Each structure stands twice: as C-alpha cells, then as structure tokens.
Amino acid sequence: MVHLTADEKAAVTALWGKVNVDEVGGEALGRLLVVYPWTQRFFDSFGDLSSPDAVMGNAKVKAHGKKVLNSFSDGLKNLDNLKGTFAKLSELHCDKLHVDPENFKLLGNVLVCVLAHHFGKQFTPQGQGAFQKVVAGVANALAHKYH
Amino acid sequence: MVLSPADKTNVKTTWDKLGGHAGEYGGEALERTFTSFPTTKTYFPHFDLSPGSAQVKAHGKKVADALTTAVAHLDDLPGALSTLSDLHAYKLRVDPVNFKLLSHCLLVTLACHHPAEFTPAVHASLDKFFSAVSTVLTSKYR
C-alpha cells in the first residue's frame, strides 16, 4: 500500500491535473526505449527503433505509451488499492507478456524524469518524493501476482 | 557499458552549459535524494538535513566538482577518480544501490533546470555517464 500524506496526495493530484497523459505516455515509453535499449526486446513488432528520433517519432510507441499511461492514471485514482487495481494487469505481464518487473521500476523513474522535464522548478523535491512513492507502488502492484 | 564518442560529446556539451550552477545542482540533487529516498539519510547522521542546509549545499558542491573532474577525463575515469574510489571503498562504504538513487536525482535536477538540453539522446548519455562514474566509485569494494 502506498502511504502518501495529505500534502503529498494534493501535490500528486495538482501536478497530474496539468499532465497531457497521452503525450507524456509516448514521451516516457520512448525515453525508456532510448535510455535503456534492452527494453526494446518487448517491442519487435514496433518497426523502426534504430535511433532516438526514430523511437520518439514512432507511431506505435506513442500509441502504446498512451495506453500505458492511461492505465497508470487509473492507478492514481485508487492509491489505497493499487494491488487490486492492477491485479489483472499483473497477471497479464507475468503470464502472457513475460516482462521482468525491473522494467516497471525503470519506466517509473523515466516518467519522473519526463515530469521534471515538463514542469521544471514546479517539480519540487517534495513533489518528486510523492511521485517516487506512487511509481514504486504501481511497480510493486504490477509485480504482485508474479509467480 | 562504454561511453561512445557521441555520449562523451553529449556529456561535455551539456556540462559546459550548466553555467557555473553545477554546485547548486549538486546540492539540489542531494536534497531530492534525501527527500525521495529517506534511507540515503543514514549516511549523514552528522549533517543537518533540513531544507536549505548549508552542509548539504557544501556537500553538493563537492559532488559536483568531482563530476566536473570526471567530465574532463572521460577517457580515463578510473584514473581521474582513483582517490575517490579508494575513499568510497575503504572509508565511506556507501552501499552500491545508493549511487543509482543519486544518479537518478541528478538526472531529475538537470531535466528541471535545462529542459532544452535534456533531449532523449542526452538523457541516455548522462545516465550512462553517471553509471560509469558509479561503477568506478564502487570498483574497489571487494
């Protein structure tokens, strides 16, 4: 369970309200594939991932990033029950997608970098702290059903 | 993991653009590390870790100066960081996991202050650079 103080919840809600979830999703997934190229192993069908420009401009990356982040956004509405919220997705990532949960941590940290990039000084240490708790909670929830 | 010529160029170019703020960013990165990852505070029981702490700022400058040295010696990080490597191995003995935490917060700090520079390619190069520095600093641990 994620334990956010009232101030942290407010910080997360306020910041997330200003996020263009579709765009940030594509940006975060794209940067994951550029910064940690071994993560491309899950996306053989996505076409050209041969350069940072190719990755960031890739339509399938953008579409999938949007999907992932909309799902993450749902998590934000259920911080008190992340394990329940992500139970089915956890099973999917283990049984069908075979994704090492380490990748959830990598994506979470890339997302934090993207938020920092967008919000600049508004992304205060306290705001970052709140988001780090959230991304860690989501990563744990997604790993919870692994066996 | 090896720094390519393009990585080295990205790191040098970005570091040059910090405009003398590197020390300040070092302090901010430390503050972010302590706030986001409270276990890192265990290495600083002797510090005042409250916001704006002069000790944290001074330590941040020390860290930044070491990184600036590293940037100037990208072709020989083990050589340039040898003394610091000894220090971390034999005296400080900071658990290796913590280098990743500080590296992440350095990236976050740079992303906040230099959005134009923080392209995906530069993000990748900086991540590799911090990883290479971390590897050198933990290389004599055992």
Side-chain angles (χ1 to χ4, degrees):
Chain A
M1 235 194 84
V2 174
H3 294 285
L4 296 184
T5 64
D7 282 348
E8 285 174 329
K9 278 189 191 166
V12 167
T13 308
L15 210 69
W16 201 252
K18 299 182 207 167
V19 166
N20 179 331
V21 175
D22 294 347
E23 256 178 44
V24 164
E27 176 85 15
L29 185 64
R31 281 180 184 255
L32 179 76
L33 298 175
V34 169
V35 178
Y36 308 109
W38 54 91
T39 57
Q40 292 173 21
R41 69 190 298 285
F42 301 108
F43 302 105
D44 281 341
S45 63
F46 274 27
D48 186 6
L49 300 177
S50 59
S51 70
D53 284 343
V55 170
M56 302 310 290
N58 184 305
K60 286 187 176 180
V61 170
K62 289 185 196 190
H64 194 67
K66 181 174 158 173
K67 200 179 185 184
V68 168
L69 212 67
N70 273 297
S71 176
F72 181 87
S73 217
D74 286 341
L76 286 186
K77 298 175 194 153
N78 290 290
L79 288 173
D80 293 333
N81 183 24
L82 288 176
K83 293 197 162 100
T85 305
F86 288 108
K88 285 260 164 323
L89 273 176
S90 179
E91 285 171 8
L92 179 78
H93 281 76
C94 174
D95 299 331
K96 294 266 156 20
L97 304 178
H98 311 293
V99 176
D100 179 342
E102 184 61 30
N103 292 284
F104 308 141
K105 295 183 195 174
L106 291 179
L107 180 59
N109 279 334
V110 170
L111 176 60
V112 167
C113 286
V114 170
L115 293 175
H117 191 223
H118 278 233
F119 290 110
K121 292 169 208 188
Q122 273 185 78
F123 195 63
T124 61
Q126 292 67 31
Q128 179 190 351
F131 264 101
Q132 297 288 169
K133 285 187 183 180
V134 172
V135 301
V138 171
N140 281 337
L142 279 171
H144 188 66
K145 292 286 192 181
Y146 273 59
H147 59 95
Chain B
M1 291 194 240
V2 164
L3 292 176
S4 69
D7 289 324
K8 291 179 188 178
T9 302
N10 283 342
V11 171
K12 283 197 184 108
T13 307
T14 304
W15 212 258
D16 285 344
K17 295 207 175 139
L18 300 189
H21 290 282
E24 186 195 310
Y25 297 158
E28 182 178 325
L30 280 176
E31 189 194 344
R32 286 180 180 277
T33 306
F34 296 140
T35 307
S36 284
F37 309 109
T39 53
T40 56
K41 295 190 291 186
T42 57
Y43 292 96
F44 298 92
H46 53 301
F47 266 31
D48 162 25
L49 296 179
S50 57
S53 154
Q55 283 179 305
V56 172
K57 286 186 190 180
H59 198 67
K61 178 154 195 321
K62 240 182 183 169
V63 170
D65 287 347
L67 289 171
T68 300
T69 299
V71 172
H73 295 91
L74 292 175
D75 292 329
D76 181 23
L77 289 177
L81 299 174
S82 179
T83 310
L84 272 177
S85 178
D86 290 340
L87 182 74
H88 283 77
Y90 305 125
K91 184 145 184 284
L92 303 177
R93 293 170 290 186
V94 173
D95 190 284
V97 73
N98 295 286
F99 293 93
K100 285 193 189 185
L101 303 179
L102 177 58
S103 296
H104 170 66
C105 290
L106 281 162
L107 286 177
V108 168
T109 304
L110 293 177
C112 280
H113 290 278
H114 294 273
E117 270 69 53
F118 198 72
T119 62
V122 166
H123 177 171
S125 297
L126 287 171
D127 194 271
K128 284 174 79 175
F129 167 62
F130 293 138
S131 175
V133 169
S134 301
T135 297
V136 169
L137 292 179
T138 55
S139 61
K140 300 177 195 174
Y141 271 37
R142 57 176 172 172

